[in-house]
């Protein structure tokens, strides 16, 4: 067993590209940090090339700045290929190896397809789903940098995109209160200057309005939607429905 593993993370959020996670659930990640949890982000690709970015190093620096704004403890970028991201054994193993290294309790991953947007998002969902399973497999350590199996307790999906009011089906949906971290989330998205120049200011209005709509639906000022991959059990009904 590898005895030189880093301190575990409580939660890891996985995106196809830098900025996916910030847009979808940056407020929740910032809130988790405030609550004392150790939080990580894994980007499957560096997101390059894109029209206005000078290159991969610039985009990676933006990602580091965004992570600092949210207070993220660990951010890793896998060397998978943007625009040619596909679910494969090798890509599943690459992500599962990081899960086994950082040993999260909860993994947050992309939910479903994003029509009219990058098909990488759908592939990222499939890779993440498989990697959660691969992380706990025994008698296969040689595929995972000889790290030991790690069982992730819960997997939760986050929707990305604003093109539809329909969300992927799951075993239940819930909204996290991000009233206190909405501005922090928006600031982290603004860190991607190459992706969101002034002429794309509409994106920030969309993100803010959607988060406020979701929050209002749950009695909060702002919120982010999540979808359970398995049935979510409740031990205290009153505390759950009357937070």
């Amino acid at each position: 067993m590898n005895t030189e593993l880093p301190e575990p993370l409580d939660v890891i959020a996985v995106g196809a590209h830098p900025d996916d996670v910030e847009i979808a659930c940056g407020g929740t990640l910032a809130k988790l940090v405030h609550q004392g949890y150790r939080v990580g982000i894994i980007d499957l690709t560096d997101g390059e090339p894109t029209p206005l970015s000078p290159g991969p190093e610039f985009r990676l620096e933006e990602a580091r700045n965004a992570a600092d704004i949210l207070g993220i403890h660990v951010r890793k970028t896998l060397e998978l290929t943007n625009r040619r991201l596909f679910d494969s054994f090798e890509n599943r193993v690459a992500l599962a190896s990081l899960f086994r290294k950082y040993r999260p309790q909860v993994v947050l991953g992309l939910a479903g397809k994003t029509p009219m947007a990058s098909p990488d998002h759908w592939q990222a969902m499939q890779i993440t789903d498989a990697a959660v399973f691969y992380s706990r497999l025994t008698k296969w350590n040689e595929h995972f940098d000889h790290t030991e199996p790690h069982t992730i307790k819960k997997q939760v999906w986050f929707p990305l995109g604003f093109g539809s009011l329909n969300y992927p089906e799951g075993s239940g949906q819930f909204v996290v209160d991000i009233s206190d971290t909405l501005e922090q989330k928006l600031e982290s998205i603004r860190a991607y200057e190459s992706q969101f120049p002034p002429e794309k200011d509409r994106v920030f209005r969309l993100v803010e309005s959607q988060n406020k709509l979701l929050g209002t639906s749950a009695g909060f000022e702002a919120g982010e939607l999540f979808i359970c991959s398995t049935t979510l059990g409740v031990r205290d009904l009153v505390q759950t429905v009357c937070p």
Side-chain angles (χ1 to χ4, degrees), residues 180-214:
D180 295 334
T181 56
L182 175 60
E183 289 304 319
Q184 196 173 351
K185 167 183 178 163
L186 294 173
E187 185 182 354
S188 75
I189 301 171
R190 290 191 181 95
Y192 294 96
E193 297 177 3
S194 67
Q195 307 305 303
F196 305 109
E199 57 267 29
K200 287 190 176 181
D201 188 63
R202 171 177 173 271
V203 171
F204 298 98
R205 296 195 298 273
L206 283 171
V207 171
E208 184 173 11
S209 62
Q210 185 181 57
N211 288 159
K212 287 188 173 181
L213 174 61
L214 288 168

PDB file of all heavy atoms in Angstrom, residues 180-214:
ATOM      1  N   ASP A 180     -25.111  33.035   0.803  1.00  0.00           N
ATOM      2  CA  ASP A 180     -23.933  33.718   1.308  1.00  0.00           C
ATOM      3  C   ASP A 180     -22.706  33.566   0.400  1.00  0.00           C
ATOM      4  O   ASP A 180     -21.681  34.222   0.629  1.00  0.00           O
ATOM      5  CB  ASP A 180     -23.572  33.192   2.706  1.00  0.00           C
ATOM      6  CG  ASP A 180     -24.636  33.523   3.741  1.00  0.00           C
ATOM      7  OD1 ASP A 180     -25.361  34.522   3.551  1.00  0.00           O
ATOM      8  OD2 ASP A 180     -24.745  32.780   4.733  1.00  0.00           O
ATOM      9  N   THR A 181     -22.797  32.701  -0.609  1.00  0.00           N
ATOM     10  CA  THR A 181     -21.618  32.456  -1.457  1.00  0.00           C
ATOM     11  C   THR A 181     -21.888  32.719  -2.938  1.00  0.00           C
ATOM     12  O   THR A 181     -21.020  32.435  -3.766  1.00  0.00           O
ATOM     13  CB  THR A 181     -21.109  31.014  -1.284  1.00  0.00           C
ATOM     14  OG1 THR A 181     -22.171  30.093  -1.566  1.00  0.00           O
ATOM     15  CG2 THR A 181     -20.589  30.775   0.128  1.00  0.00           C
ATOM     16  N   LEU A 182     -23.047  33.269  -3.269  1.00  0.00           N
ATOM     17  CA  LEU A 182     -23.353  33.548  -4.676  1.00  0.00           C
ATOM     18  C   LEU A 182     -22.335  34.515  -5.274  1.00  0.00           C
ATOM     19  O   LEU A 182     -21.834  34.294  -6.387  1.00  0.00           O
ATOM     20  CB  LEU A 182     -24.772  34.101  -4.820  1.00  0.00           C
ATOM     21  CG  LEU A 182     -25.168  34.545  -6.240  1.00  0.00           C
ATOM     22  CD1 LEU A 182     -25.083  33.382  -7.226  1.00  0.00           C
ATOM     23  CD2 LEU A 182     -26.573  35.151  -6.245  1.00  0.00           C
ATOM     24  N   GLU A 183     -22.023  35.586  -4.568  1.00  0.00           N
ATOM     25  CA  GLU A 183     -21.067  36.565  -5.104  1.00  0.00           C
ATOM     26  C   GLU A 183     -19.679  35.953  -5.255  1.00  0.00           C
ATOM     27  O   GLU A 183     -18.960  36.249  -6.213  1.00  0.00           O
ATOM     28  CB  GLU A 183     -21.015  37.807  -4.209  1.00  0.00           C
ATOM     29  CG  GLU A 183     -22.258  38.672  -4.294  1.00  0.00           C
ATOM     30  CD  GLU A 183     -22.589  39.116  -5.713  1.00  0.00           C
ATOM     31  OE1 GLU A 183     -21.637  39.468  -6.453  1.00  0.00           O
ATOM     32  OE2 GLU A 183     -23.768  39.098  -6.081  1.00  0.00           O
ATOM     33  N   GLN A 184     -19.315  35.093  -4.322  1.00  0.00           N
ATOM     34  CA  GLN A 184     -18.032  34.397  -4.405  1.00  0.00           C
ATOM     35  C   GLN A 184     -17.999  33.501  -5.646  1.00  0.00           C
ATOM     36  O   GLN A 184     -16.994  33.434  -6.361  1.00  0.00           O
ATOM     37  CB  GLN A 184     -17.841  33.564  -3.138  1.00  0.00           C
ATOM     38  CG  GLN A 184     -16.432  33.086  -2.885  1.00  0.00           C
ATOM     39  CD  GLN A 184     -16.304  32.407  -1.530  1.00  0.00           C
ATOM     40  OE1 GLN A 184     -17.229  32.446  -0.706  1.00  0.00           O
ATOM     41  NE2 GLN A 184     -15.173  31.776  -1.289  1.00  0.00           N
ATOM     42  N   LYS A 185     -19.106  32.830  -5.917  1.00  0.00           N
ATOM     43  CA  LYS A 185     -19.223  31.996  -7.116  1.00  0.00           C
ATOM     44  C   LYS A 185     -19.060  32.840  -8.376  1.00  0.00           C
ATOM     45  O   LYS A 185     -18.294  32.480  -9.286  1.00  0.00           O
ATOM     46  CB  LYS A 185     -20.579  31.291  -7.128  1.00  0.00           C
ATOM     47  CG  LYS A 185     -20.939  30.660  -8.456  1.00  0.00           C
ATOM     48  CD  LYS A 185     -22.319  30.036  -8.434  1.00  0.00           C
ATOM     49  CE  LYS A 185     -22.664  29.454  -9.804  1.00  0.00           C
ATOM     50  NZ  LYS A 185     -23.782  28.505  -9.756  1.00  0.00           N
ATOM     51  N   LEU A 186     -19.778  33.948  -8.457  1.00  0.00           N
ATOM     52  CA  LEU A 186     -19.710  34.796  -9.646  1.00  0.00           C
ATOM     53  C   LEU A 186     -18.298  35.346  -9.850  1.00  0.00           C
ATOM     54  O   LEU A 186     -17.816  35.434 -10.982  1.00  0.00           O
ATOM     55  CB  LEU A 186     -20.714  35.945  -9.532  1.00  0.00           C
ATOM     56  CG  LEU A 186     -22.201  35.536  -9.551  1.00  0.00           C
ATOM     57  CD1 LEU A 186     -23.086  36.734  -9.250  1.00  0.00           C
ATOM     58  CD2 LEU A 186     -22.578  34.907 -10.888  1.00  0.00           C
ATOM     59  N   GLU A 187     -17.625  35.666  -8.753  1.00  0.00           N
ATOM     60  CA  GLU A 187     -16.246  36.149  -8.852  1.00  0.00           C
ATOM     61  C   GLU A 187     -15.333  35.053  -9.406  1.00  0.00           C
ATOM     62  O   GLU A 187     -14.426  35.327 -10.201  1.00  0.00           O
ATOM     63  CB  GLU A 187     -15.752  36.596  -7.485  1.00  0.00           C
ATOM     64  CG  GLU A 187     -14.368  37.235  -7.517  1.00  0.00           C
ATOM     65  CD  GLU A 187     -13.860  37.642  -6.148  1.00  0.00           C
ATOM     66  OE1 GLU A 187     -14.628  37.544  -5.172  1.00  0.00           O
ATOM     67  OE2 GLU A 187     -12.680  38.042  -6.061  1.00  0.00           O
ATOM     68  N   SER A 188     -15.574  33.808  -9.004  1.00  0.00           N
ATOM     69  CA  SER A 188     -14.734  32.714  -9.507  1.00  0.00           C
ATOM     70  C   SER A 188     -14.942  32.509 -11.001  1.00  0.00           C
ATOM     71  O   SER A 188     -13.994  32.173 -11.727  1.00  0.00           O
ATOM     72  CB  SER A 188     -15.040  31.417  -8.743  1.00  0.00           C
ATOM     73  OG  SER A 188     -16.267  30.833  -9.127  1.00  0.00           O
ATOM     74  N   ILE A 189     -16.145  32.706 -11.499  1.00  0.00           N
ATOM     75  CA  ILE A 189     -16.400  32.588 -12.933  1.00  0.00           C
ATOM     76  C   ILE A 189     -15.728  33.735 -13.686  1.00  0.00           C
ATOM     77  O   ILE A 189     -15.174  33.550 -14.770  1.00  0.00           O
ATOM     78  CB  ILE A 189     -17.915  32.551 -13.220  1.00  0.00           C
ATOM     79  CG1 ILE A 189     -18.577  31.374 -12.499  1.00  0.00           C
ATOM     80  CG2 ILE A 189     -18.176  32.435 -14.733  1.00  0.00           C
ATOM     81  CD1 ILE A 189     -20.098  31.387 -12.555  1.00  0.00           C
ATOM     82  N   ARG A 190     -15.745  34.913 -13.083  1.00  0.00           N
ATOM     83  CA  ARG A 190     -15.092  36.071 -13.715  1.00  0.00           C
ATOM     84  C   ARG A 190     -13.585  35.877 -13.824  1.00  0.00           C
ATOM     85  O   ARG A 190     -12.929  36.556 -14.632  1.00  0.00           O
ATOM     86  CB  ARG A 190     -15.406  37.347 -12.932  1.00  0.00           C
ATOM     87  CG  ARG A 190     -16.852  37.811 -13.049  1.00  0.00           C
ATOM     88  CD  ARG A 190     -17.051  39.216 -12.484  1.00  0.00           C
ATOM     89  NE  ARG A 190     -18.447  39.611 -12.585  1.00  0.00           N
ATOM     90  CZ  ARG A 190     -19.353  39.481 -11.613  1.00  0.00           C
ATOM     91  NH1 ARG A 190     -18.965  38.975 -10.440  1.00  0.00           N
ATOM     92  NH2 ARG A 190     -20.605  39.846 -11.793  1.00  0.00           N
ATOM     93  N   ALA A 191     -13.021  34.976 -13.041  1.00  0.00           N
ATOM     94  CA  ALA A 191     -11.589  34.704 -13.141  1.00  0.00           C
ATOM     95  C   ALA A 191     -11.219  34.178 -14.523  1.00  0.00           C
ATOM     96  O   ALA A 191     -10.061  34.287 -14.940  1.00  0.00           O
ATOM     97  CB  ALA A 191     -11.166  33.693 -12.069  1.00  0.00           C
ATOM     98  N   TYR A 192     -12.186  33.622 -15.244  1.00  0.00           N
ATOM     99  CA  TYR A 192     -11.950  33.118 -16.599  1.00  0.00           C
ATOM    100  C   TYR A 192     -12.169  34.246 -17.610  1.00  0.00           C
ATOM    101  O   TYR A 192     -13.124  34.249 -18.375  1.00  0.00           O
ATOM    102  CB  TYR A 192     -12.874  31.939 -16.886  1.00  0.00           C
ATOM    103  CG  TYR A 192     -12.572  30.733 -16.043  1.00  0.00           C
ATOM    104  CD1 TYR A 192     -13.281  30.483 -14.879  1.00  0.00           C
ATOM    105  CD2 TYR A 192     -11.559  29.842 -16.398  1.00  0.00           C
ATOM    106  CE1 TYR A 192     -12.995  29.378 -14.078  1.00  0.00           C
ATOM    107  CE2 TYR A 192     -11.267  28.741 -15.619  1.00  0.00           C
ATOM    108  CZ  TYR A 192     -11.982  28.520 -14.464  1.00  0.00           C
ATOM    109  OH  TYR A 192     -11.688  27.427 -13.682  1.00  0.00           O
ATOM    110  N   GLU A 193     -11.255  35.192 -17.601  1.00  0.00           N
ATOM    111  CA  GLU A 193     -11.386  36.361 -18.472  1.00  0.00           C
ATOM    112  C   GLU A 193     -11.363  35.974 -19.941  1.00  0.00           C
ATOM    113  O   GLU A 193     -12.009  36.623 -20.772  1.00  0.00           O
ATOM    114  CB  GLU A 193     -10.259  37.351 -18.172  1.00  0.00           C
ATOM    115  CG  GLU A 193     -10.289  37.907 -16.762  1.00  0.00           C
ATOM    116  CD  GLU A 193      -9.112  38.822 -16.477  1.00  0.00           C
ATOM    117  OE1 GLU A 193      -8.312  39.056 -17.422  1.00  0.00           O
ATOM    118  OE2 GLU A 193      -9.005  39.309 -15.348  1.00  0.00           O
ATOM    119  N   SER A 194     -10.623  34.925 -20.289  1.00  0.00           N
ATOM    120  CA  SER A 194     -10.546  34.513 -21.688  1.00  0.00           C
ATOM    121  C   SER A 194     -11.852  33.898 -22.179  1.00  0.00           C
ATOM    122  O   SER A 194     -12.129  33.880 -23.380  1.00  0.00           O
ATOM    123  CB  SER A 194      -9.405  33.514 -21.885  1.00  0.00           C
ATOM    124  OG  SER A 194      -9.682  32.284 -21.222  1.00  0.00           O
ATOM    125  N   GLN A 195     -12.644  33.389 -21.265  1.00  0.00           N
ATOM    126  CA  GLN A 195     -13.892  32.724 -21.639  1.00  0.00           C
ATOM    127  C   GLN A 195     -15.099  33.654 -21.547  1.00  0.00           C
ATOM    128  O   GLN A 195     -16.082  33.470 -22.259  1.00  0.00           O
ATOM    129  CB  GLN A 195     -14.124  31.499 -20.737  1.00  0.00           C
ATOM    130  CG  GLN A 195     -12.956  30.528 -20.697  1.00  0.00           C
ATOM    131  CD  GLN A 195     -12.532  30.053 -22.064  1.00  0.00           C
ATOM    132  OE1 GLN A 195     -13.343  29.501 -22.819  1.00  0.00           O
ATOM    133  NE2 GLN A 195     -11.264  30.280 -22.416  1.00  0.00           N
ATOM    134  N   PHE A 196     -15.004  34.635 -20.664  1.00  0.00           N
ATOM    135  CA  PHE A 196     -16.158  35.505 -20.423  1.00  0.00           C
ATOM    136  C   PHE A 196     -15.749  36.971 -20.468  1.00  0.00           C
ATOM    137  O   PHE A 196     -15.726  37.668 -19.447  1.00  0.00           O
ATOM    138  CB  PHE A 196     -16.798  35.155 -19.071  1.00  0.00           C
ATOM    139  CG  PHE A 196     -17.169  33.707 -18.956  1.00  0.00           C
ATOM    140  CD1 PHE A 196     -16.460  32.866 -18.118  1.00  0.00           C
ATOM    141  CD2 PHE A 196     -18.209  33.168 -19.707  1.00  0.00           C
ATOM    142  CE1 PHE A 196     -16.773  31.517 -18.017  1.00  0.00           C
ATOM    143  CE2 PHE A 196     -18.531  31.823 -19.619  1.00  0.00           C
ATOM    144  CZ  PHE A 196     -17.822  30.989 -18.774  1.00  0.00           C
ATOM    145  N   PRO A 197     -15.403  37.459 -21.675  1.00  0.00           N
ATOM    146  CA  PRO A 197     -15.081  38.882 -21.844  1.00  0.00           C
ATOM    147  C   PRO A 197     -16.358  39.712 -21.680  1.00  0.00           C
ATOM    148  O   PRO A 197     -17.464  39.165 -21.574  1.00  0.00           O
ATOM    149  CB  PRO A 197     -14.551  38.932 -23.277  1.00  0.00           C
ATOM    150  CG  PRO A 197     -15.230  37.800 -23.973  1.00  0.00           C
ATOM    151  CD  PRO A 197     -15.364  36.713 -22.947  1.00  0.00           C
ATOM    152  N   PRO A 198     -16.230  41.038 -21.658  1.00  0.00           N
ATOM    153  CA  PRO A 198     -17.394  41.898 -21.428  1.00  0.00           C
ATOM    154  C   PRO A 198     -18.575  41.603 -22.351  1.00  0.00           C
ATOM    155  O   PRO A 198     -19.737  41.722 -21.933  1.00  0.00           O
ATOM    156  CB  PRO A 198     -16.833  43.305 -21.667  1.00  0.00           C
ATOM    157  CG  PRO A 198     -15.389  43.185 -21.289  1.00  0.00           C
ATOM    158  CD  PRO A 198     -14.978  41.814 -21.721  1.00  0.00           C
ATOM    159  N   GLU A 199     -18.311  41.209 -23.589  1.00  0.00           N
ATOM    160  CA  GLU A 199     -19.431  40.960 -24.508  1.00  0.00           C
ATOM    161  C   GLU A 199     -20.215  39.706 -24.138  1.00  0.00           C
ATOM    162  O   GLU A 199     -21.293  39.458 -24.703  1.00  0.00           O
ATOM    163  CB  GLU A 199     -18.927  40.861 -25.954  1.00  0.00           C
ATOM    164  CG  GLU A 199     -17.870  39.805 -26.206  1.00  0.00           C
ATOM    165  CD  GLU A 199     -16.460  40.347 -26.088  1.00  0.00           C
ATOM    166  OE1 GLU A 199     -16.256  41.313 -25.327  1.00  0.00           O
ATOM    167  OE2 GLU A 199     -15.580  39.804 -26.772  1.00  0.00           O
ATOM    168  N   LYS A 200     -19.709  38.905 -23.207  1.00  0.00           N
ATOM    169  CA  LYS A 200     -20.439  37.727 -22.738  1.00  0.00           C
ATOM    170  C   LYS A 200     -21.012  37.933 -21.333  1.00  0.00           C
ATOM    171  O   LYS A 200     -21.260  36.974 -20.607  1.00  0.00           O
ATOM    172  CB  LYS A 200     -19.531  36.500 -22.750  1.00  0.00           C
ATOM    173  CG  LYS A 200     -19.223  35.972 -24.136  1.00  0.00           C
ATOM    174  CD  LYS A 200     -18.526  34.621 -24.063  1.00  0.00           C
ATOM    175  CE  LYS A 200     -18.300  34.034 -25.448  1.00  0.00           C
ATOM    176  NZ  LYS A 200     -17.636  32.704 -25.382  1.00  0.00           N
ATOM    177  N   ASP A 201     -21.242  39.171 -20.966  1.00  0.00           N
ATOM    178  CA  ASP A 201     -21.778  39.482 -19.643  1.00  0.00           C
ATOM    179  C   ASP A 201     -23.132  38.811 -19.410  1.00  0.00           C
ATOM    180  O   ASP A 201     -23.536  38.593 -18.261  1.00  0.00           O
ATOM    181  CB  ASP A 201     -21.904  40.991 -19.474  1.00  0.00           C
ATOM    182  CG  ASP A 201     -22.267  41.374 -18.057  1.00  0.00           C
ATOM    183  OD1 ASP A 201     -21.472  41.100 -17.150  1.00  0.00           O
ATOM    184  OD2 ASP A 201     -23.371  41.931 -17.856  1.00  0.00           O
ATOM    185  N   ARG A 202     -23.804  38.460 -20.490  1.00  0.00           N
ATOM    186  CA  ARG A 202     -25.097  37.763 -20.394  1.00  0.00           C
ATOM    187  C   ARG A 202     -24.986  36.484 -19.572  1.00  0.00           C
ATOM    188  O   ARG A 202     -25.925  36.097 -18.876  1.00  0.00           O
ATOM    189  CB  ARG A 202     -25.592  37.446 -21.809  1.00  0.00           C
ATOM    190  CG  ARG A 202     -26.802  36.545 -21.889  1.00  0.00           C
ATOM    191  CD  ARG A 202     -27.232  36.372 -23.335  1.00  0.00           C
ATOM    192  NE  ARG A 202     -28.290  35.380 -23.476  1.00  0.00           N
ATOM    193  CZ  ARG A 202     -28.071  34.088 -23.660  1.00  0.00           C
ATOM    194  NH1 ARG A 202     -26.822  33.622 -23.738  1.00  0.00           N
ATOM    195  NH2 ARG A 202     -29.086  33.241 -23.787  1.00  0.00           N
ATOM    196  N   VAL A 203     -23.833  35.821 -19.640  1.00  0.00           N
ATOM    197  CA  VAL A 203     -23.642  34.578 -18.896  1.00  0.00           C
ATOM    198  C   VAL A 203     -23.824  34.800 -17.399  1.00  0.00           C
ATOM    199  O   VAL A 203     -24.461  33.995 -16.705  1.00  0.00           O
ATOM    200  CB  VAL A 203     -22.249  33.988 -19.183  1.00  0.00           C
ATOM    201  CG1 VAL A 203     -21.947  32.819 -18.241  1.00  0.00           C
ATOM    202  CG2 VAL A 203     -22.151  33.541 -20.628  1.00  0.00           C
ATOM    203  N   PHE A 204     -23.291  35.904 -16.889  1.00  0.00           N
ATOM    204  CA  PHE A 204     -23.388  36.167 -15.461  1.00  0.00           C
ATOM    205  C   PHE A 204     -24.829  36.448 -15.043  1.00  0.00           C
ATOM    206  O   PHE A 204     -25.261  36.034 -13.963  1.00  0.00           O
ATOM    207  CB  PHE A 204     -22.469  37.327 -15.071  1.00  0.00           C
ATOM    208  CG  PHE A 204     -21.026  37.025 -15.334  1.00  0.00           C
ATOM    209  CD1 PHE A 204     -20.398  37.487 -16.488  1.00  0.00           C
ATOM    210  CD2 PHE A 204     -20.293  36.248 -14.455  1.00  0.00           C
ATOM    211  CE1 PHE A 204     -19.064  37.199 -16.737  1.00  0.00           C
ATOM    212  CE2 PHE A 204     -18.964  35.951 -14.703  1.00  0.00           C
ATOM    213  CZ  PHE A 204     -18.350  36.414 -15.846  1.00  0.00           C
ATOM    214  N   ARG A 205     -25.575  37.117 -15.913  1.00  0.00           N
ATOM    215  CA  ARG A 205     -26.988  37.360 -15.619  1.00  0.00           C
ATOM    216  C   ARG A 205     -27.760  36.048 -15.608  1.00  0.00           C
ATOM    217  O   ARG A 205     -28.651  35.837 -14.775  1.00  0.00           O
ATOM    218  CB  ARG A 205     -27.580  38.337 -16.634  1.00  0.00           C
ATOM    219  CG  ARG A 205     -26.959  39.734 -16.586  1.00  0.00           C
ATOM    220  CD  ARG A 205     -27.813  40.752 -17.328  1.00  0.00           C
ATOM    221  NE  ARG A 205     -27.952  40.443 -18.740  1.00  0.00           N
ATOM    222  CZ  ARG A 205     -27.102  40.821 -19.681  1.00  0.00           C
ATOM    223  NH1 ARG A 205     -26.025  41.517 -19.356  1.00  0.00           N
ATOM    224  NH2 ARG A 205     -27.311  40.525 -20.959  1.00  0.00           N
ATOM    225  N   LEU A 206     -27.416  35.158 -16.543  1.00  0.00           N
ATOM    226  CA  LEU A 206     -28.077  33.856 -16.577  1.00  0.00           C
ATOM    227  C   LEU A 206     -27.788  33.039 -15.324  1.00  0.00           C
ATOM    228  O   LEU A 206     -28.700  32.464 -14.718  1.00  0.00           O
ATOM    229  CB  LEU A 206     -27.615  33.076 -17.821  1.00  0.00           C
ATOM    230  CG  LEU A 206     -28.224  33.466 -19.160  1.00  0.00           C
ATOM    231  CD1 LEU A 206     -27.497  32.744 -20.294  1.00  0.00           C
ATOM    232  CD2 LEU A 206     -29.707  33.122 -19.193  1.00  0.00           C
ATOM    233  N   VAL A 207     -26.518  32.987 -14.954  1.00  0.00           N
ATOM    234  CA  VAL A 207     -26.143  32.216 -13.768  1.00  0.00           C
ATOM    235  C   VAL A 207     -26.833  32.773 -12.531  1.00  0.00           C
ATOM    236  O   VAL A 207     -27.433  32.033 -11.738  1.00  0.00           O
ATOM    237  CB  VAL A 207     -24.607  32.221 -13.587  1.00  0.00           C
ATOM    238  CG1 VAL A 207     -24.233  31.601 -12.232  1.00  0.00           C
ATOM    239  CG2 VAL A 207     -23.931  31.460 -14.715  1.00  0.00           C
ATOM    240  N   GLU A 208     -26.757  34.073 -12.355  1.00  0.00           N
ATOM    241  CA  GLU A 208     -27.347  34.691 -11.174  1.00  0.00           C
ATOM    242  C   GLU A 208     -28.857  34.501 -11.132  1.00  0.00           C
ATOM    243  O   GLU A 208     -29.425  34.154 -10.091  1.00  0.00           O
ATOM    244  CB  GLU A 208     -27.008  36.184 -11.132  1.00  0.00           C
ATOM    245  CG  GLU A 208     -27.509  36.881  -9.880  1.00  0.00           C
ATOM    246  CD  GLU A 208     -27.024  38.322  -9.771  1.00  0.00           C
ATOM    247  OE1 GLU A 208     -26.467  38.833 -10.768  1.00  0.00           O
ATOM    248  OE2 GLU A 208     -27.195  38.924  -8.693  1.00  0.00           O
ATOM    249  N   SER A 209     -29.523  34.701 -12.278  1.00  0.00           N
ATOM    250  CA  SER A 209     -30.985  34.569 -12.290  1.00  0.00           C
ATOM    251  C   SER A 209     -31.412  33.131 -12.034  1.00  0.00           C
ATOM    252  O   SER A 209     -32.382  32.887 -11.304  1.00  0.00           O
ATOM    253  CB  SER A 209     -31.552  35.072 -13.624  1.00  0.00           C
ATOM    254  OG  SER A 209     -31.067  34.307 -14.715  1.00  0.00           O
ATOM    255  N   GLN A 210     -30.687  32.161 -12.602  1.00  0.00           N
ATOM    256  CA  GLN A 210     -31.047  30.768 -12.359  1.00  0.00           C
ATOM    257  C   GLN A 210     -30.836  30.400 -10.894  1.00  0.00           C
ATOM    258  O   GLN A 210     -31.679  29.736 -10.283  1.00  0.00           O
ATOM    259  CB  GLN A 210     -30.239  29.834 -13.246  1.00  0.00           C
ATOM    260  CG  GLN A 210     -30.685  28.364 -13.089  1.00  0.00           C
ATOM    261  CD  GLN A 210     -29.881  27.417 -13.926  1.00  0.00           C
ATOM    262  OE1 GLN A 210     -28.659  27.370 -13.804  1.00  0.00           O
ATOM    263  NE2 GLN A 210     -30.547  26.653 -14.772  1.00  0.00           N
ATOM    264  N   ASN A 211     -29.722  30.832 -10.318  1.00  0.00           N
ATOM    265  CA  ASN A 211     -29.468  30.522  -8.916  1.00  0.00           C
ATOM    266  C   ASN A 211     -30.488  31.181  -8.000  1.00  0.00           C
ATOM    267  O   ASN A 211     -30.884  30.599  -6.980  1.00  0.00           O
ATOM    268  CB  ASN A 211     -28.056  30.941  -8.523  1.00  0.00           C
ATOM    269  CG  ASN A 211     -26.980  30.041  -9.106  1.00  0.00           C
ATOM    270  OD1 ASN A 211     -25.825  30.419  -9.216  1.00  0.00           O
ATOM    271  ND2 ASN A 211     -27.348  28.833  -9.511  1.00  0.00           N
ATOM    272  N   LYS A 212     -30.928  32.371  -8.356  1.00  0.00           N
ATOM    273  CA  LYS A 212     -31.939  33.029  -7.530  1.00  0.00           C
ATOM    274  C   LYS A 212     -33.298  32.348  -7.688  1.00  0.00           C
ATOM    275  O   LYS A 212     -34.058  32.233  -6.720  1.00  0.00           O
ATOM    276  CB  LYS A 212     -32.018  34.518  -7.873  1.00  0.00           C
ATOM    277  CG  LYS A 212     -30.807  35.295  -7.356  1.00  0.00           C
ATOM    278  CD  LYS A 212     -30.962  36.787  -7.521  1.00  0.00           C
ATOM    279  CE  LYS A 212     -29.800  37.511  -6.832  1.00  0.00           C
ATOM    280  NZ  LYS A 212     -29.907  38.994  -6.943  1.00  0.00           N
ATOM    281  N   LEU A 213     -33.606  31.878  -8.894  1.00  0.00           N
ATOM    282  CA  LEU A 213     -34.856  31.151  -9.097  1.00  0.00           C
ATOM    283  C   LEU A 213     -34.852  29.845  -8.300  1.00  0.00           C
ATOM    284  O   LEU A 213     -35.821  29.515  -7.608  1.00  0.00           O
ATOM    285  CB  LEU A 213     -35.051  30.853 -10.580  1.00  0.00           C
ATOM    286  CG  LEU A 213     -36.264  29.973 -10.939  1.00  0.00           C
ATOM    287  CD1 LEU A 213     -37.564  30.654 -10.505  1.00  0.00           C
ATOM    288  CD2 LEU A 213     -36.283  29.675 -12.437  1.00  0.00           C
ATOM    289  N   LEU A 214     -33.755  29.089  -8.401  1.00  0.00           N
ATOM    290  CA  LEU A 214     -33.649  27.841  -7.654  1.00  0.00           C
ATOM    291  C   LEU A 214     -33.720  28.098  -6.157  1.00  0.00           C
ATOM    292  O   LEU A 214     -34.387  27.360  -5.420  1.00  0.00           O
ATOM    293  CB  LEU A 214     -32.339  27.136  -8.007  1.00  0.00           C
ATOM    294  CG  LEU A 214     -32.263  26.509  -9.394  1.00  0.00           C
ATOM    295  CD1 LEU A 214     -30.823  26.113  -9.727  1.00  0.00           C
ATOM    296  CD2 LEU A 214     -33.177  25.294  -9.497  1.00  0.00           C
TER     297      LEU A 214
END
